[in-house]
Amino acid sequence: MEKLVIIPTYNEKENIASIIKAVFDLQSGYHVLVIDDGSPDGTAAIVKELMQQYPEQLFLEERKGKLGLGTAYIHGFKWGINKEYAYIFEMDADFSHNPKDLERLYHACKHEGADVAVGSRYVPGGRTENWPWDRQLYSRGGALYTKLLTWMPVNDPTAGFVCYTRQVLESINLDEIEFVGYAFQIEMKFVSWKLGFRIKEVPITFIDRKIGVSKMSKGIIKEGVLGVLKIQWHSLFKSYKKRVSSAS
């Protein structure tokens, strides 16, 4: 197994069939794992129907209740590691991430020596489209805040369009990843960096969702602000690497 795209969902019935088809239309050997958190709108039922069309490529894990983005990805990471995929991707269901850019993230890891490839809005060539000013302010401000506090050499630490090599995910004690929202994305990149893996940012155009409702909330933003402080504080202790490493 080589390439697995993890797509967490909660009430994405308008987008899920189209995003799955867009990934498979690349005809590049991607498999898709949807992690659905009990969507009341029937998202999982749509995926189940599509599984008959793509029986060897499309998979579904259903969870009861809205348990959070971070725990969905952790669930997917463990599933992908168990199935021995070489490259495991994070991607949103709402087309804010262009499925065609999966190939650029894959190329960065497969051919350019990256251990983690980040689809970045804030490197030369990266940009956002159709974002309201307040979302831009939160995102850019959060990115700068994170970089100043953690010293991590990543310009878009909250980015959710990422490719990890299996080696990275196997090296992380995933049970020690604490956060579930904005801070989850920061924590995963921070831990990868602290464990010595190479992170490469690949410029992308991030397009705000056109269908459905954003999952952003004040609680997620608050977690991001306080989470960065907590992550950096913990990293100052000698026991940090031992705790977050699966080798411990």
Side-chain angles (χ1 to χ4, degrees), residues 72-105:
Y73 275 128
I74 295 297
H75 185 103
F77 292 158
K78 291 180 178 180
W79 191 95
I81 290 169
N82 186 54
K83 303 292 185 183
E84 298 187 345
Y85 285 91
Y87 302 94
I88 299 177
F89 300 77
E90 298 179 1
M91 190 173 75
D92 290 347
D94 61 7
F95 283 95
S96 55
H97 304 140
N98 187 339
K100 293 180 180 178
D101 287 330
L102 286 167
E103 285 292 272
R104 298 172 60 233
L105 298 181

Side-chain angles (χ1 to χ4, degrees), residues 74 77-78 81 115-116 164-178 184 187-197 240-248:
I74 295 297
F77 292 158
K78 291 180 178 180
I81 290 169
D115 301 303
V116 180
Y164 292 96
T165 64
R166 187 171 81 234
Q167 181 188 5
V168 173
L169 296 178
E170 285 181 331
S171 299
I172 297 172
N173 182 352
L174 295 171
D175 292 329
E176 287 293 332
I177 299 299
E178 181 176 355
F184 166 79
E187 187 176 13
M188 282 296 300
K189 297 175 185 69
F190 185 79
V191 170
S192 300
W193 173 57
K194 281 293 186 180
L195 292 179
F197 291 106
Y240 179 75
K241 282 189 179 181
K242 184 177 180 181
R243 179 170 63 80
V244 299
S245 171
S246 63
S248 60

Side-chain angles (χ1 to χ4, degrees), residues 190-209:
F190 185 79
V191 170
S192 300
W193 173 57
K194 281 293 186 180
L195 292 179
F197 291 106
R198 184 189 175 205
I199 301 174
K200 179 178 176 62
E201 292 187 85
V202 176
I204 64 161
T205 297
F206 180 97
I207 303 173
D208 195 25
R209 70 158 63 229

Side-chain angles (χ1 to χ4, degrees), residues 193-235:
W193 173 57
K194 281 293 186 180
L195 292 179
F197 291 106
R198 184 189 175 205
I199 301 174
K200 179 178 176 62
E201 292 187 85
V202 176
I204 64 161
T205 297
F206 180 97
I207 303 173
D208 195 25
R209 70 158 63 229
K210 296 180 180 179
I211 302 174
V213 179
S214 172
K215 310 303 190 296
M216 182 58 62
S217 67
K218 290 181 179 179
I220 290 174
I221 294 172
K222 182 180 178 181
E223 183 200 64
V225 172
L226 299 179
V228 170
L229 289 169
K230 194 169 184 179
I231 290 166
Q232 179 65 328
W233 171 251
H234 286 169
S235 73

Side-chain angles (χ1 to χ4, degrees), residues 6-111:
I6 302 171
I7 303 178
T9 56
Y10 183 78
N11 286 349
E12 291 288 357
K13 69 177 183 179
E14 297 98 337
N15 293 304
I16 192 61
S18 297
I19 196 74
I20 289 170
K21 184 177 185 299
V23 174
F24 292 148
D25 281 351
L26 296 173
Q27 296 185 349
S28 297
Y30 290 95
H31 290 182
V32 173
L33 171 64
V34 176
I35 311 285
D36 187 71
D37 273 8
S39 297
D41 71 346
T43 298
I46 295 171
V47 177
K48 287 175 183 176
E49 287 185 19
L50 289 171
M51 288 172 69
Q52 298 177 36
Q53 185 177 347
Y54 305 105
E56 303 297 325
Q57 296 172 271
L58 178 60
F59 308 94
L60 172 67
E61 291 283 291
E62 294 183 84
R63 306 195 305 168
K64 294 182 179 180
K66 195 174 180 182
L67 303 177
L69 181 75
T71 64
Y73 275 128
I74 295 297
H75 185 103
F77 292 158
K78 291 180 178 180
W79 191 95
I81 290 169
N82 186 54
K83 303 292 185 183
E84 298 187 345
Y85 285 91
Y87 302 94
I88 299 177
F89 300 77
E90 298 179 1
M91 190 173 75
D92 290 347
D94 61 7
F95 283 95
S96 55
H97 304 140
N98 187 339
K100 293 180 180 178
D101 287 330
L102 286 167
E103 285 292 272
R104 298 172 60 233
L105 298 181
Y106 170 70
H107 190 273
C109 286
K110 179 76 172 182
H111 301 292

Side-chain angles (χ1 to χ4, degrees), residues 127-190:
R127 63 194 184 98
T128 62
E129 282 186 8
N130 302 326
W131 247 18
W133 69 268
D134 57 336
R135 286 290 300 275
Q136 295 229 28
L137 180 64
Y138 292 145
S139 180
R140 286 187 175 274
L144 179 60
Y145 167 78
T146 299
K147 196 169 184 180
L148 288 172
L149 261 68
T150 65
W151 317 314
M152 179 170 57
V154 177
N155 293 292
D156 196 354
T158 62
F161 195 19
V162 186
C163 175
Y164 292 96
T165 64
R166 187 171 81 234
Q167 181 188 5
V168 173
L169 296 178
E170 285 181 331
S171 299
I172 297 172
N173 182 352
L174 295 171
D175 292 329
E176 287 293 332
I177 299 299
E178 181 176 355
F179 298 102
V180 298
Y182 243 27
F184 166 79
Q185 299 293 2
I186 298 169
E187 187 176 13
M188 282 296 300
K189 297 175 185 69
F190 185 79

